[in-house]
Amino acid sequence: MGQKMYSLDDTIAAISTPIGEGGIGIVRMTGPQAADILSKIFCPGKKRKAGDKPRPLSFIPYHLHYGHIVDPRGDEAVDEVLVSYMPAPHTYTRQDVVEINCHGGVVPLRRVLELTLRYGARLAQPGEMTLRAFLNGRIDLAQAEAVLDIVQARTEASLRVAVEQLDGGLSEKVRAIRVLLIDVLAYLEATIDFEEDEIPFQDIGLPLREAIERLSRLLASADRGIIYRQGVRTAIVGRPNVGKSSLLNALLRTSRAIVTPIPGTTRDTLEETLNLKGIPLVLVDTAGITTETNDAIEKLGIERSRMALAQADLALLVIDGSEPLQSADSQIAELVGNKPAIVVINKSDLVQKAEPDGLLPQAERVSISALTGQGLEELEETIVKTIFSGQVVTSEELLVSNPRHKALLARALDHLKAAQDAYEEGMAADFVAIDLTAAVDALGEIIGETVTEDLLETIFAKFCVGK
């Protein structure tokens, strides 16, 4: 990313739509020279006549203008386009913004981008346009991170959480708590600098308790918010031929995995994402785990299955209800250990012979038939219940969805509790102020009031180029 990224004086350009064939593609520029660069490569009008040259333009802001992008060196039309000019400060970056709507293909987009770079722009780095929006005060840091969450949202619920954060829901609450603490800190610093009889006494216990209560409410929502944002990795495990791939297909309502009566059909892990009541559920179908095989490929598949299970947030242990329990079922249950899990008793459409009560006593049990679909709705409800540990989720509640925010809120809360303890024990104002200052700084990191260049580089490097 580098130091140059933080200069706001140059004009940057990038392709802002995914590379590939499509109906349209957009090249975006922002910076003080955006309109000037456009005037050098854009010819307006319904028809481009031979010899027409790009000329200084008078754009109507926020309107689409029809014409052609032209390479001035050879008087060659590169693409037929629609362009828009948005002057500062009422733009995404609070700088002049130009968007060139091209035909959506790799070649025309690349040619148009090359022309903008030739005539004065430089290639934008990942997230640089959103970074400018932050540096120019249009959005705070939490809102900037929400932009990426919107782009990457995989369910309606995760999109709703991200949009609420972009609208400033979290920022507003964090900023209010921070202002409350800054007022307390100002009082403490005044008592340090002046004689006691010059500063009227103020009981800071009440605002400290109020701030602790507000932070605690925000943190209580963090685990659920992160689930909506990141999803839940769910490993479907079991011995060969118990119906793991059939279960994957049944949950997805499509034939995604190959299913045959032959044991060991699945040789590798297979991942698909399911929208389960707003939760992005990353289902990992694994090879059947067995301790007895001489097949090198099967051994590799089993090792990957063990790895997938170790990395999973939730395990679905599938057993064949039509057969007596086997030692392999118990061995796989031992691999699951104390991980959140559900025992899925498959083939409920057949005569039941399994007695799985001894497997994973902490786990819920659901009988299903992956063949007929019987029990699938109950399984889905059990998965949601297991993920949220029985907690009720309301759509009106603000959810903290970013692990960075969760860590900073927890740090602020710890410092606040330490400050409260110091105050109640009658310690000097200096000691209370130390923890209070640390809490204020932690909250400032969430919204970008206290931020380092390294942190900005880490956050915005995750963005795509053009956003």
Side-chain angles (χ1 to χ4, degrees):
M1 188 172 288
Q3 180 65 30
K4 188 177 180 181
M5 182 170 184
Y6 300 102
S7 170
L8 301 178
D9 299 329
D10 50 2
T11 297
I12 57 176
I15 298 171
S16 292
T17 45
I19 299 298
E21 295 181 0
I24 62 170
I26 298 175
V27 175
R28 177 186 288 169
M29 284 190 291
T30 186
Q33 302 301 316
D36 181 60
I37 294 170
L38 179 64
S39 70
K40 295 175 181 176
I41 62 175
F42 177 64
C43 277
K46 293 184 179 180
K47 283 189 177 181
R48 180 180 174 273
K49 299 177 183 178
D52 280 353
K53 299 288 186 182
R55 58 185 182 272
L57 303 172
S58 177
F59 280 105
I60 302 174
Y62 311 107
H63 283 62
L64 286 174
H65 299 265
Y66 169 79
H68 293 78
I69 294 295
V70 177
D71 185 345
R73 292 192 305 189
D75 195 27
E76 173 196 2
V78 173
D79 196 10
E80 183 183 31
V81 299
L82 292 171
V83 302
S84 59
Y85 166 62
M86 294 161 274
H90 303 296
T91 67
Y92 182 66
T93 62
R94 281 196 173 165
Q95 293 182 310
D96 288 355
V97 171
V98 164
E99 290 189 349
I100 306 171
N101 293 263
C102 312
H103 288 94
V106 174
V107 176
L109 284 169
R110 178 175 52 80
R111 287 287 307 278
V112 172
L113 176 62
E114 287 173 351
L115 285 172
T116 66
L117 301 181
R118 183 195 305 168
Y119 288 96
R122 70 166 172 82
L123 185 63
Q125 300 187 51
E128 188 168 2
M129 296 189 185
T130 304
L131 174 63
R132 289 195 174 192
F134 164 67
L135 293 177
N136 287 324
R138 182 183 174 274
I139 55 177
D140 62 35
L141 192 56
Q143 291 173 298
E145 290 172 282
V147 171
L148 180 61
D149 291 344
I150 289 175
V151 173
Q152 296 180 340
R154 290 180 285 179
T155 68
E156 291 289 339
S158 57
L159 176 62
R160 184 177 65 246
V161 171
V163 168
E164 187 171 13
Q165 184 167 309
L166 180 61
D167 286 342
L170 174 63
S171 301
E172 182 181 339
K173 291 181 180 294
V174 169
R175 193 170 283 109
I177 298 171
R178 192 166 183 267
V179 168
L180 177 65
L181 297 180
I182 288 175
D183 289 342
V184 175
L185 190 57
Y187 166 75
L188 289 176
E189 291 176 346
T191 63
I192 295 171
D193 295 336
F194 299 97
E195 298 291 336
E196 290 185 11
D197 55 357
E198 295 182 33
I199 304 297
F201 174 76
Q202 178 181 331
D203 182 5
I204 65 171
L206 179 60
L208 287 179
R209 286 193 295 274
E210 183 179 348
I212 288 172
E213 182 180 342
R214 291 188 194 178
L215 282 178
S216 298
R217 284 201 299 269
L218 285 176
L219 268 173
S221 72
D223 289 338
R224 282 174 284 159
I226 291 171
I227 285 171
Y228 281 127
R229 178 179 186 262
Q230 297 184 171
V232 178
R233 289 190 65 82
T234 304
I236 304 175
V237 296
R239 57 185 172 83
N241 212 34
V242 294
K244 299 183 296 300
S245 297
S246 297
L247 174 58
L248 174 72
N249 290 339
L251 288 170
L252 295 174
R253 270 69 172 180
T254 186
S255 296
R256 180 62 182 86
I258 298 174
V259 177
T260 74
I262 304 171
T265 303
T266 302
R267 294 296 188 97
D268 200 354
T269 57
L270 174 66
E271 289 190 15
E272 287 290 336
T273 299
L274 167 69
N275 179 352
L276 181 58
K277 301 184 186 301
I279 304 168
L281 199 69
V282 183
L283 294 169
V284 185
D285 182 24
T286 66
I289 298 176
T290 178
T291 56
E292 298 178 2
T293 180
N294 295 319
D295 188 317
I297 297 178
E298 189 174 3
K299 284 182 178 180
L300 181 58
I302 292 171
E303 184 57 35
R304 291 187 178 181
S305 297
R306 291 172 181 264
M307 188 180 303
L309 176 58
Q311 295 172 346
D313 304 303
L314 173 68
L316 301 182
L317 173 57
V318 184
I319 65 171
D320 185 344
S322 68
E323 298 179 356
L325 211 62
Q326 298 185 15
S327 60
D329 296 314
S330 300
Q331 292 170 1
I332 298 168
E334 290 179 4
L335 292 176
V336 173
N338 294 322
K339 186 184 295 291
I342 299 171
V343 177
V344 182
I345 307 166
N346 191 25
K347 305 184 183 180
S348 62
D349 52 310
L350 303 177
V351 177
Q352 297 297 284
K353 299 179 181 179
E355 297 180 0
D357 292 345
L359 293 178
L360 301 177
Q362 83 280 7
E364 295 276 354
R365 285 157 171 68
V366 180
S367 293
I368 70 154
S369 170
L371 179 64
T372 66
Q374 177 185 345
L376 278 182
E377 288 189 10
E378 181 185 352
L379 175 59
E380 291 174 344
E381 292 172 0
T382 304
I383 291 173
V384 174
K385 177 183 174 183
T386 302
I387 290 171
F388 288 129
S389 301
Q391 300 179 52
V392 177
V393 181
T394 61
S395 59
E396 296 81 9
E397 184 180 357
L398 173 70
L399 296 179
V400 175
S401 60
N402 190 310
R404 187 182 79 88
H405 300 166
K406 177 185 176 182
L408 289 168
L409 289 171
R411 186 201 306 171
L413 183 59
D414 288 342
H415 283 296
L416 269 185
K417 289 180 178 179
Q420 183 185 50
D421 291 341
Y423 176 69
E424 292 178 350
E425 292 171 9
M427 299 180 70
D430 309 60
F431 293 99
V432 182
I434 289 172
D435 277 302
L436 200 54
T437 300
V440 168
D441 288 345
L443 295 177
E445 284 190 49
I446 294 176
I447 55 178
E449 295 290 342
T450 52
V451 65
T452 64
E453 184 175 313
D454 288 343
L455 176 61
L456 291 180
E457 184 170 343
T458 299
I459 291 173
F460 287 97
K462 300 174 184 176
F463 282 63
C464 59
V465 174
K467 192 63 180 175

